[in-house]
Amino acid sequence: MAKIIVITSGKGGVGKTTTSASFAVGLASRGYKTAVIDFDIGLRNLDLIMGCERRVVYDFVNVIRNEANLNQALIRDKHIRDLFILPASQTRDKDALTLEGVSTVLEELSKTFDYIVCDSPAGIERGAQLAMYFADSAIVVTNPEVSSVRDSDRMLGMLSSKTKRAEEGRDPLTEHLLLTRYSPKRVARGDMLSLSDVNEILAIPLLGVIPESQAVLRASNSGDPVILDKESDAGQAYLDAVARFLGENVPHRFIEEKGNWLKRLLRFKEKEIS
Amino acid sequence: MSLSNKISKILDYFQRPEKTSRCAKERLQIIIAHERGSHNKPDYLAALQQDLLNVITKYVAIDREAVKVELERKEGFSVLELNVTLPNLE
């Protein structure tokens, strides 16, 4: 039985697809057979981030409508043998996804895969609801910014009531917070919500902090998920987050401002005074 | 410019501006606490306004625009503000 992970956020543009791509690569490179599914019907982007946009022939909706079988639609990743991408349809409307259709696809994937990563669309419409419905774990991607935190809280409410696990009264899915686009420098200046602020408000276990990083745009430019850029801060932060997801005890990094000791000392003094 | 003015300007330069992150956190705590409690309940303000209007028109002839209902969310409680403009009773 595969473990189903939903990457969700409510708000758009916070890093769901970046996270889905990097998590899928991270899990697959640890030897777990992994499928990553784009649930954003009509606005597919996972294929671009994974660098397989020119190899898309059939998609998720084709499979649901029995126009293609699953093996025809799954695209093998160019880097990792054990990783497959199921792209969203670019042309059909989002009502093309049905509960039965999604259920059938996930069941079939579950037979042979270890992990299924569901890249949720933004919003709270059908695509987002179906992406989370069958999940065993949820990674809530949040930016340290008021609208993103509010939307994440809304998603947490939905995760605890509108999923199969909740409806059947089984153990609730496990929730993980992934704080992305974090800038320790701006936090130190008092211009950005801190990790502890967000943690206090959302009150779910922290999976990791991904620093604001130029590597993320470079990665999407080239179509190689940022986790493959092992030199970069964001890439390392994703590697850490995947390790934590798999139960390893990895200390958090990239949450303190780099910089000279004098600056830190001054800031410390200032805190003492105020 | 007086000396004290100059000094205060210099001090201002070293003073940090008010930290907006603290404001963000407080606003979030209030709105989220509120939404967690009520996001499954129907939005009753419009119905409340209609009912209030009906009650008041039983006694005083007022027009529809004369009743304003506002809700302000604060930490731990909400304030329901009712504002009725009565016609000049001469």
mmCIF file of all heavy atoms in Angstrom, chain A residues 146 149-150 153-154 190-193 197 200-201 267 270, chain B residues 16 19-21 24-25 27-29 31-32 35-36 39:
data_model
loop_
_atom_site.group_PDB
_atom_site.id
_atom_site.type_symbol
_atom_site.label_atom_id
_atom_site.label_comp_id
_atom_site.label_asym_id
_atom_site.label_seq_id
_atom_site.Cartn_x
_atom_site.Cartn_y
_atom_site.Cartn_z
ATOM 1 N N VAL A 146 0.781 37.192 6.171
ATOM 2 C CA VAL A 146 -0.546 37.044 6.779
ATOM 3 C C VAL A 146 -1.549 36.249 5.936
ATOM 4 O O VAL A 146 -2.237 35.373 6.462
ATOM 5 C CB VAL A 146 -1.182 38.399 7.185
ATOM 6 C CG1 VAL A 146 -0.504 38.970 8.417
ATOM 7 C CG2 VAL A 146 -1.166 39.396 6.057
ATOM 8 N N VAL A 149 -0.719 32.465 5.896
ATOM 9 C CA VAL A 149 -0.939 31.792 7.184
ATOM 10 C C VAL A 149 -2.433 31.581 7.422
ATOM 11 O O VAL A 149 -2.869 30.503 7.837
ATOM 12 C CB VAL A 149 -0.316 32.595 8.358
ATOM 13 C CG1 VAL A 149 -0.649 31.944 9.698
ATOM 14 C CG2 VAL A 149 1.194 32.699 8.181
ATOM 15 N N ARG A 150 -3.219 32.590 7.100
ATOM 16 C CA ARG A 150 -4.669 32.456 7.270
ATOM 17 C C ARG A 150 -5.220 31.330 6.396
ATOM 18 O O ARG A 150 -6.016 30.501 6.831
ATOM 19 C CB ARG A 150 -5.342 33.775 6.900
ATOM 20 C CG ARG A 150 -6.833 33.742 7.071
ATOM 21 C CD ARG A 150 -7.460 34.850 6.281
ATOM 22 N NE ARG A 150 -8.675 35.349 6.908
ATOM 23 C CZ ARG A 150 -9.320 36.426 6.489
ATOM 24 N NH1 ARG A 150 -8.846 37.137 5.494
ATOM 25 N NH2 ARG A 150 -10.432 36.806 7.072
ATOM 26 N N ASP A 153 -4.406 27.925 7.698
ATOM 27 C CA ASP A 153 -5.267 27.539 8.816
ATOM 28 C C ASP A 153 -6.604 27.008 8.304
ATOM 29 O O ASP A 153 -7.147 26.032 8.818
ATOM 30 C CB ASP A 153 -5.505 28.728 9.745
ATOM 31 C CG ASP A 153 -6.172 28.281 11.038
ATOM 32 O OD1 ASP A 153 -5.494 27.639 11.849
ATOM 33 O OD2 ASP A 153 -7.386 28.538 11.212
ATOM 34 N N ARG A 154 -7.086 27.644 7.265
ATOM 35 C CA ARG A 154 -8.340 27.195 6.631
ATOM 36 C C ARG A 154 -8.164 25.781 6.061
ATOM 37 O O ARG A 154 -9.049 24.942 6.188
ATOM 38 C CB ARG A 154 -8.671 28.199 5.524
ATOM 39 C CG ARG A 154 -9.988 28.001 4.855
ATOM 40 C CD ARG A 154 -11.087 28.743 5.588
ATOM 41 N NE ARG A 154 -12.293 28.767 4.753
ATOM 42 C CZ ARG A 154 -13.111 27.734 4.608
ATOM 43 N NH1 ARG A 154 -12.867 26.611 5.248
ATOM 44 N NH2 ARG A 154 -14.164 27.820 3.823
ATOM 45 N N GLY A 190 12.417 42.509 11.986
ATOM 46 C CA GLY A 190 11.035 42.712 12.438
ATOM 47 C C GLY A 190 10.073 42.966 11.302
ATOM 48 O O GLY A 190 8.956 43.405 11.509
ATOM 49 N N ASP A 191 10.508 42.671 10.076
ATOM 50 C CA ASP A 191 9.656 42.897 8.910
ATOM 51 C C ASP A 191 8.925 41.643 8.460
ATOM 52 O O ASP A 191 8.155 41.679 7.502
ATOM 53 C CB ASP A 191 10.498 43.382 7.715
ATOM 54 C CG ASP A 191 11.128 44.727 7.986
ATOM 55 O OD1 ASP A 191 10.654 45.422 8.905
ATOM 56 O OD2 ASP A 191 12.111 45.067 7.305
ATOM 57 N N MET A 192 9.197 40.520 9.092
ATOM 58 C CA MET A 192 8.594 39.263 8.630
ATOM 59 C C MET A 192 8.201 38.417 9.835
ATOM 60 O O MET A 192 8.918 38.402 10.835
ATOM 61 C CB MET A 192 9.613 38.510 7.763
ATOM 62 C CG MET A 192 9.101 37.218 7.158
ATOM 63 S SD MET A 192 10.352 36.369 6.168
ATOM 64 C CE MET A 192 9.984 36.993 4.529
ATOM 65 N N LEU A 193 7.063 37.731 9.727
ATOM 66 C CA LEU A 193 6.647 36.800 10.777
ATOM 67 C C LEU A 193 7.752 35.770 10.995
ATOM 68 O O LEU A 193 8.315 35.255 10.032
ATOM 69 C CB LEU A 193 5.375 36.069 10.352
ATOM 70 C CG LEU A 193 4.068 36.859 10.385
ATOM 71 C CD1 LEU A 193 2.994 36.135 9.581
ATOM 72 C CD2 LEU A 193 3.589 37.085 11.809
ATOM 73 N N ASP A 197 6.445 32.556 15.437
ATOM 74 C CA ASP A 197 5.121 33.184 15.267
ATOM 75 C C ASP A 197 4.181 32.250 14.503
ATOM 76 O O ASP A 197 3.061 31.969 14.926
ATOM 77 C CB ASP A 197 5.221 34.493 14.454
ATOM 78 C CG ASP A 197 5.915 35.617 15.211
ATOM 79 O OD1 ASP A 197 6.006 35.514 16.450
ATOM 80 O OD2 ASP A 197 6.364 36.572 14.553
ATOM 81 N N GLU A 200 3.363 29.055 16.332
ATOM 82 C CA GLU A 200 2.441 29.288 17.441
ATOM 83 C C GLU A 200 1.001 29.384 16.923
ATOM 84 O O GLU A 200 0.077 28.847 17.518
ATOM 85 C CB GLU A 200 2.839 30.597 18.122
ATOM 86 C CG GLU A 200 2.185 30.838 19.464
ATOM 87 C CD GLU A 200 2.609 32.190 20.013
ATOM 88 O OE1 GLU A 200 3.823 32.516 19.956
ATOM 89 O OE2 GLU A 200 1.738 32.925 20.473
ATOM 90 N N ILE A 201 0.828 30.046 15.780
ATOM 91 C CA ILE A 201 -0.514 30.253 15.247
ATOM 92 C C ILE A 201 -1.081 28.960 14.650
ATOM 93 O O ILE A 201 -2.206 28.580 14.929
ATOM 94 C CB ILE A 201 -0.510 31.395 14.204
ATOM 95 C CG1 ILE A 201 -0.227 32.727 14.902
ATOM 96 C CG2 ILE A 201 -1.843 31.472 13.477
ATOM 97 C CD1 ILE A 201 0.133 33.853 13.981
ATOM 98 N N ARG A 267 22.269 43.314 18.052
ATOM 99 C CA ARG A 267 20.864 42.948 18.099
ATOM 100 C C ARG A 267 20.507 42.341 19.463
ATOM 101 O O ARG A 267 19.479 42.611 20.037
ATOM 102 C CB ARG A 267 20.553 41.953 16.977
ATOM 103 C CG ARG A 267 19.115 41.925 16.626
ATOM 104 C CD ARG A 267 18.910 41.478 15.211
ATOM 105 N NE ARG A 267 19.096 42.532 14.260
ATOM 106 C CZ ARG A 267 19.762 42.405 13.125
ATOM 107 N NH1 ARG A 267 20.340 41.278 12.833
ATOM 108 N NH2 ARG A 267 19.858 43.423 12.309
ATOM 109 N N GLU A 270 20.224 45.018 21.943
ATOM 110 C CA GLU A 270 18.978 45.742 21.743
ATOM 111 C C GLU A 270 17.802 45.003 22.380
ATOM 112 O O GLU A 270 16.947 45.587 23.022
ATOM 113 C CB GLU A 270 18.759 45.870 20.247
ATOM 114 C CG GLU A 270 17.629 46.783 19.873
ATOM 115 C CD GLU A 270 17.495 46.803 18.375
ATOM 116 O OE1 GLU A 270 18.342 47.428 17.716
ATOM 117 O OE2 GLU A 270 16.573 46.141 17.882
ATOM 118 N N ARG B 16 14.753 51.974 15.787
ATOM 119 C CA ARG B 16 14.153 51.130 14.750
ATOM 120 C C ARG B 16 12.698 51.525 14.556
ATOM 121 O O ARG B 16 12.032 51.880 15.525
ATOM 122 C CB ARG B 16 14.207 49.670 15.190
ATOM 123 C CG ARG B 16 15.597 49.218 15.247
ATOM 124 C CD ARG B 16 15.719 47.766 15.540
ATOM 125 N NE ARG B 16 17.069 47.424 15.144
ATOM 126 C CZ ARG B 16 17.408 47.090 13.928
ATOM 127 N NH1 ARG B 16 16.491 47.018 13.001
ATOM 128 N NH2 ARG B 16 18.649 46.825 13.623
ATOM 129 N N LYS B 19 7.944 47.439 14.602
ATOM 130 C CA LYS B 19 8.066 46.174 13.898
ATOM 131 C C LYS B 19 6.715 45.687 13.389
ATOM 132 O O LYS B 19 5.817 45.416 14.168
ATOM 133 C CB LYS B 19 8.729 45.151 14.805
ATOM 134 C CG LYS B 19 10.171 45.547 15.048
ATOM 135 C CD LYS B 19 10.940 44.614 15.921
ATOM 136 C CE LYS B 19 12.375 45.102 15.979
ATOM 137 N NZ LYS B 19 13.164 44.418 16.980
ATOM 138 N N THR B 20 6.622 45.582 12.092
ATOM 139 C CA THR B 20 5.340 45.200 11.491
ATOM 140 C C THR B 20 5.028 43.725 11.708
ATOM 141 O O THR B 20 3.882 43.328 11.645
ATOM 142 C CB THR B 20 5.326 45.499 9.978
ATOM 143 O OG1 THR B 20 6.441 44.856 9.382
ATOM 144 C CG2 THR B 20 5.376 46.989 9.704
ATOM 145 N N SER B 21 6.059 42.917 11.959
ATOM 146 C CA SER B 21 5.805 41.488 12.152
ATOM 147 C C SER B 21 4.933 41.254 13.392
ATOM 148 O O SER B 21 4.114 40.354 13.419
ATOM 149 C CB SER B 21 7.116 40.714 12.267
ATOM 150 O OG SER B 21 7.836 41.155 13.386
ATOM 151 N N ALA B 24 1.426 41.904 12.432
ATOM 152 C CA ALA B 24 0.931 40.798 11.607
ATOM 153 C C ALA B 24 0.489 39.640 12.485
ATOM 154 O O ALA B 24 -0.580 39.056 12.291
ATOM 155 C CB ALA B 24 2.017 40.344 10.637
ATOM 156 N N LYS B 25 1.304 39.326 13.475
ATOM 157 C CA LYS B 25 0.999 38.192 14.349
ATOM 158 C C LYS B 25 -0.295 38.441 15.138
ATOM 159 O O LYS B 25 -1.155 37.561 15.226
ATOM 160 C CB LYS B 25 2.159 37.964 15.310
ATOM 161 C CG LYS B 25 1.981 36.732 16.161
ATOM 162 C CD LYS B 25 3.107 36.594 17.146
ATOM 163 C CE LYS B 25 2.899 35.383 18.030
ATOM 164 N NZ LYS B 25 3.911 35.329 19.088
ATOM 165 N N ARG B 27 -2.794 40.455 14.415
ATOM 166 C CA ARG B 27 -3.964 40.429 13.522
ATOM 167 C C ARG B 27 -4.339 38.990 13.176
ATOM 168 O O ARG B 27 -5.513 38.624 13.164
ATOM 169 C CB ARG B 27 -3.665 41.222 12.251
ATOM 170 C CG ARG B 27 -3.590 42.712 12.495
ATOM 171 C CD ARG B 27 -3.147 43.446 11.251
ATOM 172 N NE ARG B 27 -4.032 43.197 10.134
ATOM 173 C CZ ARG B 27 -3.630 43.083 8.871
ATOM 174 N NH1 ARG B 27 -2.352 43.185 8.573
ATOM 175 N NH2 ARG B 27 -4.496 42.862 7.915
ATOM 176 N N LEU B 28 -3.335 38.176 12.884
ATOM 177 C CA LEU B 28 -3.598 36.782 12.533
ATOM 178 C C LEU B 28 -4.227 36.017 13.683
ATOM 179 O O LEU B 28 -5.164 35.241 13.495
ATOM 180 C CB LEU B 28 -2.294 36.098 12.134
ATOM 181 C CG LEU B 28 -1.926 36.182 10.667
ATOM 182 C CD1 LEU B 28 -0.524 35.651 10.442
ATOM 183 C CD2 LEU B 28 -2.918 35.403 9.809
ATOM 184 N N GLN B 29 -3.701 36.231 14.890
ATOM 185 C CA GLN B 29 -4.225 35.502 16.052
ATOM 186 C C GLN B 29 -5.704 35.798 16.244
ATOM 187 O O GLN B 29 -6.497 34.903 16.522
ATOM 188 C CB GLN B 29 -3.432 35.865 17.307
ATOM 189 C CG GLN B 29 -2.102 35.121 17.350
ATOM 190 C CD GLN B 29 -1.213 35.575 18.476
ATOM 191 O OE1 GLN B 29 -1.209 36.755 18.820
ATOM 192 N NE2 GLN B 29 -0.444 34.665 19.047
ATOM 193 N N ILE B 31 -7.980 37.031 13.916
ATOM 194 C CA ILE B 31 -8.865 36.593 12.825
ATOM 195 C C ILE B 31 -8.955 35.066 12.764
ATOM 196 O O ILE B 31 -10.018 34.500 12.517
ATOM 197 C CB ILE B 31 -8.446 37.223 11.471
ATOM 198 C CG1 ILE B 31 -9.528 37.007 10.426
ATOM 199 C CG2 ILE B 31 -7.136 36.697 10.944
ATOM 200 C CD1 ILE B 31 -10.809 37.715 10.700
ATOM 201 N N ILE B 32 -7.846 34.399 13.035
ATOM 202 C CA ILE B 32 -7.866 32.935 12.955
ATOM 203 C C ILE B 32 -8.674 32.329 14.094
ATOM 204 O O ILE B 32 -9.462 31.408 13.893
ATOM 205 C CB ILE B 32 -6.429 32.377 12.885
ATOM 206 C CG1 ILE B 32 -5.878 32.598 11.475
ATOM 207 C CG2 ILE B 32 -6.398 30.886 13.220
ATOM 208 C CD1 ILE B 32 -4.480 32.137 11.256
ATOM 209 N N GLU B 35 -12.183 32.710 13.008
ATOM 210 C CA GLU B 35 -12.609 31.854 11.899
ATOM 211 C C GLU B 35 -12.679 30.382 12.297
ATOM 212 O O GLU B 35 -13.493 29.635 11.779
ATOM 213 C CB GLU B 35 -11.681 32.046 10.702
ATOM 214 C CG GLU B 35 -11.929 33.369 10.008
ATOM 215 C CD GLU B 35 -10.949 33.648 8.882
ATOM 216 O OE1 GLU B 35 -9.933 32.939 8.765
ATOM 217 O OE2 GLU B 35 -11.203 34.598 8.144
ATOM 218 N N ARG B 36 -11.809 29.967 13.203
ATOM 219 C CA ARG B 36 -11.843 28.572 13.647
ATOM 220 C C ARG B 36 -13.164 28.265 14.310
ATOM 221 O O ARG B 36 -13.716 27.193 14.163
ATOM 222 C CB ARG B 36 -10.708 28.308 14.642
ATOM 223 C CG ARG B 36 -9.429 27.959 13.950
ATOM 224 C CD ARG B 36 -8.340 27.682 14.958
ATOM 225 N NE ARG B 36 -7.051 27.662 14.287
ATOM 226 C CZ ARG B 36 -5.896 27.826 14.915
ATOM 227 N NH1 ARG B 36 -5.855 28.046 16.215
ATOM 228 N NH2 ARG B 36 -4.773 27.783 14.235
ATOM 229 N N HIS B 39 -16.278 29.161 11.080
ATOM 230 C CA HIS B 39 -16.288 29.076 9.629
ATOM 231 C C HIS B 39 -17.314 28.090 9.067
ATOM 232 O O HIS B 39 -17.571 28.102 7.879
ATOM 233 C CB HIS B 39 -14.884 28.840 9.055
ATOM 234 C CG HIS B 39 -14.431 27.424 9.124
ATOM 235 N ND1 HIS B 39 -13.598 26.975 10.107
ATOM 236 C CD2 HIS B 39 -14.700 26.368 8.332
ATOM 237 C CE1 HIS B 39 -13.383 25.686 9.922
ATOM 238 N NE2 HIS B 39 -14.026 25.297 8.847
#
